Amino acid sequence: MQHRDPHPTAPSRGPREDPRWEPPAPHAGLPASGGNGRGVVHVVAVAHGTDSPEGRGMIDGLRAGVEDRLRQALAGSAVRVRVHEAYVDVQQPRLGDVLAALPAGETAVVLPMLVCDGVHTVHDIADAVVQRPSTGALPPIAAGAAALRLARGLAALVPAALVPAALVPAAPETGPAASGSPPTPGSPPTPDSPATLGWSPAPEQPAVVLAVAGTRRPEGRAQALRLAELVSAVLGSRVEAAFCSAAEPRIGDVVKRHRDEGREVAVLSVLLGEGFFQERLRATGAQYVSPPLLSPEASSAAMLTECLVETVLEGLRTDRS
């Protein structure tokens, strides 16, 4: 839920005040003590935080869905998960306070309810994790094993009126079978392909643009470009990535370029909820802008739940039965 535009550099605090300090890996996975398949694992589901009551309800529902699905997936195993609420901004409780309150010696893992890496994963989450022993951090959705599942869900939002019906996939599965290798229709673009950056389709073809919030972190930008590649592979049609803030190309510029060339444009929102950035997407002049992923209109909450569950299970190295 985006409630403000700026992406400020995180202020120095805690261990980063030491000039010898180097940032830890933003998501180092489950700590070694938690990989033995036994005992309690505290999953701290951390969101950005929002002022919107509607947005808060959406995040609460997503977290509850993750907890239910994890308990189902791990039923009969020796691992017991306890899911906790936390935020990096706007709302309480803050991540550091939640981690500090957990029982000493018990394994904890931070689950970012975020799409791509950014200042909150590289600084806020990483800072909190290093403060507590037996604690690790999992990757955001687009950086981990669930990226393909997310890509399939996004591809299903493309309207048949703008993209030929043969290219629009069926509604994404929400169970374990939804993960796996990319589909075969169309050739997925290479990392340096123009498919995801500055590419122009033929004049009679609509442009499909993946809209991401944006980050100054290069790894986050790379994850967004890779996500566009995966959506392109699912559709068998080229998809371009653009950003609402902090990174280039900006979504407004990309839509304008395609509109000036006479193309219809479908914008696929990778935003979780309503807010400043979603309004920015609607103001681009695109013929179609998908709703935020947690809105009822998108019907993507179950897909996002499975993305997060898959991320945790991968971190636990636990096979689903």
Side-chain angles (χ1 to χ4, degrees), residues 189-191 193-199 224-226 228-229 232 239-242 249:
T190 59
S193 166
T196 58
L197 191 62
W199 175 80
L225 295 175
R226 176 56 180 159
E229 292 178 353
S232 180
V239 175
E240 183 174 358

Side-chain angles (χ1 to χ4, degrees), residues 182-308:
T184 54
S187 298
T190 59
D192 59 350
S193 166
T196 58
L197 191 62
W199 175 80
S200 292
E204 68 276 7
Q205 292 180 321
V208 180
V209 185
L210 195 72
V212 185
T215 175
R216 292 191 179 97
R217 298 296 308 186
E219 59 268 53
R221 185 174 182 275
Q223 290 155 14
L225 295 175
R226 176 56 180 159
L227 182 60
E229 292 178 353
L230 290 173
V231 177
S232 180
V234 173
L235 287 174
S237 179
R238 299 296 179 94
V239 175
E240 183 174 358
F243 302 89
C244 295
S245 179
E248 297 291 340
R250 296 296 174 91
I251 182 64
D253 296 335
V254 171
V255 172
K256 183 178 185 300
R257 169 167 55 83
H258 288 301
R259 292 295 305 275
D260 288 348
E261 293 171 350
R263 295 183 189 88
E264 294 185 318
V265 184
V267 172
L268 300 183
S269 174
V270 194
L271 307 175
L272 296 188
E274 291 289 350
F276 180 82
F277 286 163
Q278 185 68 26
E279 288 302 317
R280 178 172 288 183
L281 299 187
R282 294 192 182 102
T284 59
Q287 280 78 9
Y288 172 78
V289 176
S290 69
L293 293 174
L294 285 178
S295 68
E297 295 85 358
S299 302
S300 299
M303 178 271 294
L304 283 175
T305 297
E306 292 301 328
C307 286
L308 294 171

Side-chain angles (χ1 to χ4, degrees), residues 30-31 33-44 74 78-84 106-109 312 316:
L30 199 71
S33 61
N36 57 15
R38 301 182 62 84
V40 174
V41 175
H42 297 275
V43 177
V44 183
L74 295 170
V79 177
R80 291 176 291 130
V81 294
R82 294 177 182 169
V83 176
H84 304 265
E106 294 187 356
T107 298
V109 62
V312 175
L316 291 170

Side-chain angles (χ1 to χ4, degrees), residues 21-30 46 88 95 109-112 114 116-130 135-140 143 215 217-220 223 311:
W21 184 86
E22 294 183 0
H27 31 79
L30 199 71
V46 60
V88 291
L95 175 60
V109 62
V110 176
L111 172 66
L114 304 167
C116 296
D117 272 314
V119 66
H120 293 306
T121 57
V122 176
H123 293 298
D124 299 308
I125 292 176
D127 280 359
V129 165
V130 298
T135 303
L138 296 169
T215 175
R217 298 296 308 186
E219 59 268 53
Q223 290 155 14
T311 299

